């Protein structure tokens, strides 16, 4: 039910993965993750589209050249993924509610790179999603000032990494 791209270009892609309420036929550019509980799917879909995941994604694929990263199943073990047992269902529902708002926002018209760059110092749906996940994971829990400061540094780091990847492509 979760569709995940085989290759993701952070400079043009708009979303990392999506959830389908029913099974759908995917093109060969996508693979699916199924067999998980609905509540865990909700957590993962929000996580995989968060800026926190994108940073872990960039770290895990540093040895690759260019802006494209393979996201094949065998590489999934290299990605940071929250453990369901550590997060209660109520908090997962909160994250998923924030994710649904983000998913309907105008940010979704922009590529991931521009979504994150436009979030520096701005309170928007992406920042709200990232802070909701930080709260649940206990990262500066309920400390909006420290969360925002940390996120701004992370967004700048992300932008710098993307620029470096673009230079590698040339």
């Amino acid at each position: 039910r979760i569709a995940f791209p085989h290759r993701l270009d952070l400079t043009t892609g708009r979303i990392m993965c999506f959830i389908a309420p029913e099974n759908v036929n995917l093109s060969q550019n996508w693979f699916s993750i199924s067999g998980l509980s609905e509540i865990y799917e909700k957590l993962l879909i929000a996580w995989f589209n968060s800026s926190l995941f994108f940073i872990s994604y960039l770290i895990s694929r540093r040895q690759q050249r260019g802006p494209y990263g393979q996201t094949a199943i065998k590489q999934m073990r290299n990605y940071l993924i929250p453990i369901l047992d550590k997060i209660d269902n109520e908090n997962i529902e909160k994250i998923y509610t924030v994710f649904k708002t983000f998913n309907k926002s105008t940010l979704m018209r922009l590529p991931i790179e521009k979504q994150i760059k436009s979030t520096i110092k701005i309170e928007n749906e992406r920042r709200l999603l990232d802070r909701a996940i930080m709260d649940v994971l206990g990262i500066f829990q309920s400390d909006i000032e420290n969360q925002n400061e940390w996120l701004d540094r992370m967004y700048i780091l992300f932008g710098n990494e993307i620029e470096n990847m673009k230079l590698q492509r040339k």
Side-chain angles (χ1 to χ4, degrees):
R1 290 180 11 116
I2 296 176
F4 213 91
H6 279 292
R7 286 174 55 125
L8 176 72
D9 181 354
L10 296 171
T11 61
T12 62
R14 294 183 195 159
I15 192 165
M16 180 60 140
C17 64
F18 64 91
I19 192 166
E22 303 168 358
N23 289 337
V24 294
N25 289 326
L26 299 172
S27 73
Q28 60 183 315
N29 296 328
W30 294 82
F31 66 89
S32 65
I33 303 171
S34 58
L36 303 172
S37 68
E38 184 178 338
I39 195 74
Y40 197 39
E41 287 177 339
K42 288 179 176 181
L43 175 62
L44 290 180
I45 196 71
W47 172 252
F48 286 140
N49 286 292
S50 73
S51 304
L52 302 167
F53 172 74
F54 292 134
I55 287 294
S56 72
Y57 172 79
L58 285 174
I59 291 168
S60 71
R61 63 165 302 279
R62 272 208 168 144
Q63 289 85 20
Q64 298 178 18
R65 290 183 46 81
Y68 301 103
Q70 296 294 329
T71 58
I73 294 276
K74 67 181 181 179
Q75 288 188 316
M76 291 295 283
R77 70 180 85 106
N78 296 330
Y79 303 145
L80 295 174
I81 299 175
I83 299 171
L84 182 61
D85 297 347
K86 303 291 183 189
I87 304 171
D88 64 41
N89 292 359
E90 184 179 319
N91 280 325
I92 292 173
E93 288 296 340
K94 286 179 188 174
I95 289 172
Y96 189 67
T97 299
V98 175
F99 169 73
K100 287 191 302 187
T101 302
F102 163 73
N103 199 32
K104 294 176 184 170
S105 73
T106 57
L107 281 172
M108 294 305 291
R109 294 185 205 144
L110 300 173
I112 292 167
E113 170 192 19
K114 290 183 179 169
Q115 287 178 28
I116 292 177
K117 284 182 178 179
S118 70
T119 301
I120 298 171
K121 304 279 185 201
I122 295 175
E123 185 82 8
N124 63 20
E125 292 85 357
R126 174 164 287 288
R127 184 179 290 270
L128 294 174
L129 173 62
D130 292 338
R131 279 205 327 248
I133 291 173
M134 289 176 76
D135 267 347
V136 169
L137 295 180
I139 303 169
F140 300 117
Q141 193 168 18
S142 301
D143 184 347
I144 293 173
E145 187 176 319
N146 276 330
Q147 285 177 342
N148 282 336
E149 184 180 316
W150 190 86
L151 285 170
D152 284 335
R153 287 193 314 247
M154 187 189 69
Y155 297 147
I156 291 168
L157 173 70
F158 180 89
N160 292 340
E161 280 295 311
I162 293 297
E163 291 305 317
N164 289 336
M165 288 170 26
K166 286 179 181 177
L167 292 173
Q168 287 176 351
R169 180 173 27 182
K170 294 180 180 181

